[in-house]
Amino acid sequence: MSWSPRSVSSPLALVALVAANVAPLVGVVWFGWSLKALLVAYWLESGVVGLLNVPKILTAVGRGDGGSSITATINGRQVDLSPPENPREGFHLYPSNVPIAGFFLLHYGVFWAVHGVFVWTFDAFAVGGVGGVPLVTVALAAGVTLLSHGGSFVVNFVGREEYRSVSPGTQMSEPYRRVVVLHLTIVLGAFLVGASGAPLAALVVMIVVKTVLDVGAHLREHARARKRAKTHHETATERPDAHDASA
């Protein structure tokens, strides 16, 4: 990979992310979405983020953020986070990354399920009314989110070859950096909006705050990827035989 100081993220991916965040705004203003509909849409988005992280883990081959042999104890279980020993040229799935992807899918799946239980039972402990969920429009918004994050995967992770410089273990942790803080903020905002009776203005403010946080998280994620790519390039330049030895 010939590294060059390009922008942190593809402008196209950034525009798509903003567009995906505008979809709930359209739902609230034009289709009368309730607070609960908004929470369900954001819950589905966190599922999309986790699902798309699986192929990222399966194709990650970087070894600059932990060496060639990495293990970690997560929830009392030993997990091998080592990258493939002999990565091939180009974008490929690696069977050796399957255990890491499987562990992530299980761990993140539990997190997402618990989040879902909270979202679907929010009415039980909300102060104000939360309303119903128009499944068709919420599903359409989730589809827009899938296109946005899927586009970022194609443009940034594959097209910009971010998979070359990130290890499977590091990639496993990326969604938590982005989703946990973001959705804790959404949960807090939901209580505040619910307490106010979920007026239109409060829902719009919640969407705007979420969009700003999401764009910031997106830029930080790809800034880390850009930094890893630069380090990877500098290391390869210092050791010109490194790539040949691992090919």
Side-chain angles (χ1 to χ4, degrees):
M1 171 182 175
S2 57
W3 184 86
S4 60
R6 295 180 289 180
S7 59
V8 169
S9 173
S10 162
L12 180 61
L14 195 56
V15 168
L17 178 66
V18 173
N21 276 280
V22 168
L25 182 62
V26 173
V28 166
V29 175
W30 278 278
F31 294 97
W33 278 18
S34 64
L35 172 58
K36 187 165 184 176
L38 195 58
L39 291 176
V40 169
Y42 290 154
W43 172 66
L44 291 174
E45 178 185 9
S46 69
V48 167
V49 170
L51 188 64
L52 286 176
N53 197 53
V54 174
K56 289 182 179 181
I57 295 172
L58 290 173
T59 56
V61 295
R63 53 184 65 234
D65 47 6
S68 58
S69 180
I70 316 166
T71 58
T73 302
I74 305 176
N75 293 345
R77 178 181 174 184
Q78 279 288 114
V79 182
D80 184 4
L81 307 178
S82 305
E85 292 185 2
N86 299 300
R88 293 171 284 171
E89 186 65 26
F91 183 76
H92 297 281
L93 297 174
Y94 292 92
S96 61
N97 291 355
V98 169
I100 309 174
F103 181 85
F104 166 79
L105 198 58
L106 177 62
H107 193 273
Y108 190 91
V110 171
F111 159 77
W112 188 69
V114 171
H115 183 190
V117 170
F118 166 80
V119 166
W120 287 103
T121 60
F122 186 69
D123 320 53
F125 44 87
V127 177
V130 294
V133 181
L135 295 178
V136 174
T137 55
V138 169
L140 288 174
V144 173
T145 297
L146 179 60
L147 289 175
S148 167
H149 287 280
S152 180
F153 169 77
V154 171
V155 173
N156 286 314
F157 195 78
V158 180
R160 292 189 167 209
E161 299 182 329
E162 290 179 357
Y163 64 88
R164 286 183 177 271
S165 55
V166 63
S167 71
T170 296
Q171 187 58 53
M172 182 179 71
S173 67
E174 280 293 343
Y176 296 102
R177 294 172 181 259
R178 180 171 184 167
V179 169
V180 173
V181 174
L182 181 62
H183 286 277
L184 283 176
T185 304
I186 290 172
V187 168
L188 176 61
F191 277 111
L192 295 176
V193 172
S196 68
L200 176 62
L203 291 173
V204 170
V205 169
M206 184 175 171
I207 293 170
V208 170
V209 170
K210 188 267 182 184
T211 301
V212 171
L213 290 173
D214 203 15
V215 168
H218 173 85
L219 293 175
R220 286 191 296 273
E221 177 183 344
H222 294 290
R224 289 191 294 270
R226 182 173 178 269
K227 183 177 179 180
R228 287 192 299 262
K230 181 178 180 181
T231 302
H232 174 76
H233 172 72
E234 290 173 347
T235 302
T237 301
E238 293 172 1
R239 300 172 55 195
D241 60 329
H243 178 74
D244 294 336
S246 62

